[in-house]
Each structure stands twice: as C-alpha cells, then as structure tokens.
Amino acid sequence: MSDSDDEAREGREEFHEDPVGHTRATGDMTVGQLVEGYGDAGIGAASVNEAGDVLAEMFANDDCTVFLSLAGAMVPAGMRRIVSDLIRDGYVDALVTTGANLTHDAIEAIGGKHHHGRTHDPEKTPREHDEGLRDEGVDRIYNVYLPQEHFAAFEGHLREEVFPELEGGDAVSIADLTHELGRANAAVNERDDVAEDPGVAAAAYECDVPVYCPAVQDSVLGLQAWMYAQTADFTLDALADMTELTDLAFDADDAGCLLVGGGVPKNFTLQTMLVTPRAYDYAVQITMDPEATGGLSGATLEEARSWGKLEKDARNASVYGDATVMLPMLVAAARERVE
C-alpha cells in the first residue's frame, strides 16, 4: 500500500467512521423502537428515523406552536382519527387543510361511512368499472368507495345546521365557517348518537384550534357555500384568515410544521413566515412528489429555507412515501418518545 493511498484516506472530507448497521424487526418491538432502529440503516429508513427525531423534538417543545398541513384524501383513507387525536391531545395549534378533507370528515361525523372498494374489476375495462359505479351512485377515491347519498346528507347538514348560523352579518372568514362546521358536527354526532368519532373539525372546535382552508372553493363544502350564498345573506371573506394566521406565527416563541402532502395547504402553511420576522424552527414533510418537476408539492424543505420559510439552523426532514403509511408510523414513534 503506497504512501499516497494513506494520504488519500487521511484526507477524506466526506467520510465518517459510522458504519451502516442492520435494522431489526421483532415481534416484541414498539413502533418507536422500530423507527429508532431505522437510524442504523440507510436510504429511506434513515430519513424516517430523522423525521421521527425532529417530530418528537417538536412535539416535546412546550414553547413550539405547531402547524399541521393536511392535503390529499387523508380522511377517506382512514387517517381521520390520527389527526383528531393529535388535536385533542394538544399537539396541534393550527390546522391547514382542504375542503375535501373537511367534507369527508363531516360526512362521517353525521353518520356516513367510506367503504373498502377496488381500483378495477378484472372482468371489466377500467372505464367500464367506473361507468358501473356511476350508474350505481358510488363515488370512487382510488380503492375507497363513497355512496352518493352521503353527499346529499352532508348538503342538508350544511343548509340546516351550519350556514344559517353564519347569515345576516358581515362577511365571515373561512376559519369562522370551519369553526361553525366543527360545532355542528359535534352537536349532530352527539344528538344522533353516531358511533363514529365526531372527527377533525369537531376536535378543533372543542379545543379552540383554528382550521384554515385556503382553497375551500375547490370542494363540495365550497360549492355548497357558493350555492347557499345565491339566495341568502351569507358571504365568505377569503382574506380574513390572513391576519389571524399571521398573528399566530408572529407570536410564536418557536414554530414547527408537519406537512402531509403538498398543494395549497403546504404553501399556505410555509408562506405564513414570509410576513413575520422569524421562520420555522422545525419542519417535517411527507410527500411522494419528486423535486425535479419544480412543483411546490415536491419542493424540498432546503428550498423553503432559501425563501426564509425555515430558519437557517432549523431541524427539518423529508420522507418520501405514501402518507397513509408514513404518518401513523411517525406520529406513533414521536408520541411514544414524548409520552
């Protein structure tokens, strides 16, 4: 072995004597132990371990204001209780989500259910499969089915229990609408003795956690609000939430965000810091979107740092995978460590 080989090894700037270990998976392990063991491994497992560390530190920091951004079809996919439990147990200070998630959340609160389905019928073409579902009055969200009569019940719920309470005064904020939706969901859930949990909006109402829905128009909830406003003294102010949300970020000692999916909720959550003298101290992102397309949903948290949305020394981690798999794992691991 030559002297030049020895000199090359001594000058390794990017090399650390930290060998990759081998994760174990045994029947007596907890989720937290599994995620901790991922730290011995590489590639995606190492990212999950890092995200679990950041999320646990964020949850454990009593001075941290936590923003949860929830995109996608997380409620129909069965993630509703995870979010409502986080709110009720004091881990979330503000929720930014889609009108679709709020719509499906309310449907379950008042007695509707989503059902297991399938993406295709092997005896039909994909088109024939969905044409058949349409004829039967069933809406499909990947492998989840929702009978259309539940939308009719939801529309009645809005017109009878929610919108009338917001009529007759000044234009209301979207946060006011979601607050009233949560109140109504909780009330009907209890009145009708619905077996299912009253849900996300109800938990937020009960715990005084604001729910922001910046693209509410892009949902059945927003569509029904518009239709109701055609014949009633009812108006939504799309900009009214900005002051309240900005004040929440401005007043935070420390700030952290858990970004589930991308789209409008992700950007609305991150851009809040652009009008404050601070930025996020913690950030965890779960996404399946690639960075290379240049879209917001796949944009890295490092890119967000360049905009001033994250502090230069912020702790952040990104996990690339299905949020219906990754969110429960990360939340369980973080809560296990904190509790």
Side-chain angles (χ1 to χ4, degrees):
M1 188 175 294
S2 68
D3 291 340
S4 61
D5 290 335
D6 291 334
E7 291 174 1
R9 283 193 292 271
E10 290 175 0
R12 290 168 171 164
E13 295 183 3
E14 293 299 322
F15 181 79
H16 303 282
E17 293 188 13
D18 182 15
V20 171
H22 298 281
T23 300
R24 299 192 65 202
T26 62
D28 60 348
M29 292 177 70
T30 66
V31 176
Q33 290 169 337
L34 179 64
V35 171
E36 183 177 354
Y38 280 176
D40 295 329
I43 310 181
S47 297
V48 172
N49 171 264
E50 184 180 14
D53 284 347
V54 177
L55 192 60
E57 185 174 325
M58 183 167 70
F59 283 170
N61 184 346
D62 292 334
D63 294 325
C64 183
T65 300
V66 177
F67 297 77
L68 171 58
S69 165
L70 191 71
M74 296 299 287
V75 170
M79 301 294 108
R80 179 173 180 257
R81 190 61 184 264
I82 291 173
V83 177
S84 63
D85 284 348
L86 281 174
I87 293 171
R88 287 196 179 93
D89 295 337
Y91 290 109
V92 173
D93 297 292
L95 172 64
V96 182
T97 191
T98 60
N101 273 321
L102 293 173
T103 294
H104 292 281
D105 175 60
I107 285 172
E108 295 229 356
I110 63 175
K113 288 297 295 182
H114 298 82
H115 301 268
H116 289 286
R118 53 184 176 177
T119 59
H120 65 281
D121 183 334
E123 298 182 358
K124 299 178 180 178
T125 67
R127 178 167 179 161
E128 288 170 343
H129 175 55
D130 287 309
E131 286 175 347
L133 291 176
R134 178 170 178 172
D135 291 340
E136 294 171 5
V138 175
D139 295 322
R140 181 171 71 87
I141 307 167
Y142 191 59
N143 60 359
V144 174
Y145 290 167
L146 180 65
Q148 288 180 359
E149 57 265 26
H150 292 330
F151 280 113
F154 171 64
E155 291 160 10
H157 176 62
L158 293 176
R159 289 179 169 273
E160 296 167 14
E161 307 287 346
V162 180
F163 294 152
E165 299 298 320
L166 299 169
E167 273 191 74
D170 296 333
V172 298
S173 70
I174 297 171
D176 289 336
L177 170 62
T178 60
H179 182 82
E180 189 60 32
L181 179 65
R183 180 207 61 77
N185 289 354
V188 172
N189 185 272
E190 181 177 7
R191 183 193 70 199
D192 295 347
D193 196 24
V194 176
E196 187 58 68
D197 180 88
V200 174
Y205 167 76
E206 293 162 4
C207 298
D208 199 26
V209 170
V211 178
Y212 303 107
C213 185
V216 69
Q217 304 94 318
D218 184 29
S219 66
V220 174
L221 172 59
L223 184 63
Q224 288 298 313
W226 170 76
M227 292 177 66
Y228 191 83
Q230 303 310 298
T231 57
D233 184 11
F234 168 67
T235 305
L236 286 178
D237 183 345
L239 297 179
D241 291 340
M242 301 297 289
T243 300
E244 180 183 316
L245 180 61
T246 302
D247 286 348
L248 187 64
F250 198 98
D251 294 339
D253 293 323
D254 294 320
C257 59
L258 171 56
L259 309 170
V260 183
V264 173
K266 174 183 175 181
N267 189 64
F268 196 72
T269 301
L270 289 175
Q271 77 170 14
T272 299
M273 291 301 172
L274 294 179
V275 288
T276 73
R278 54 168 307 107
Y280 283 109
D281 302 282
Y282 307 95
V284 173
Q285 170 176 246
I286 304 172
T287 184
M288 291 185 69
D289 292 285
E291 175 188 4
T293 61
L296 184 280
S297 295
T300 65
L301 294 174
E302 284 69 28
E303 181 180 305
R305 182 178 279 107
S306 78
W307 288 73
K309 298 171 182 177
L310 269 64
E311 296 286 358
K312 288 184 178 180
D313 61 351
R315 290 206 65 194
N316 61 276
S318 294
V319 174
Y320 292 87
D322 184 343
T324 65
V325 177
M326 297 301 180
L327 179 64
M329 180 185 295
L330 290 174
V331 167
R335 294 193 61 162
E336 180 182 328
R337 187 178 305 183
V338 173
E339 297 169 9

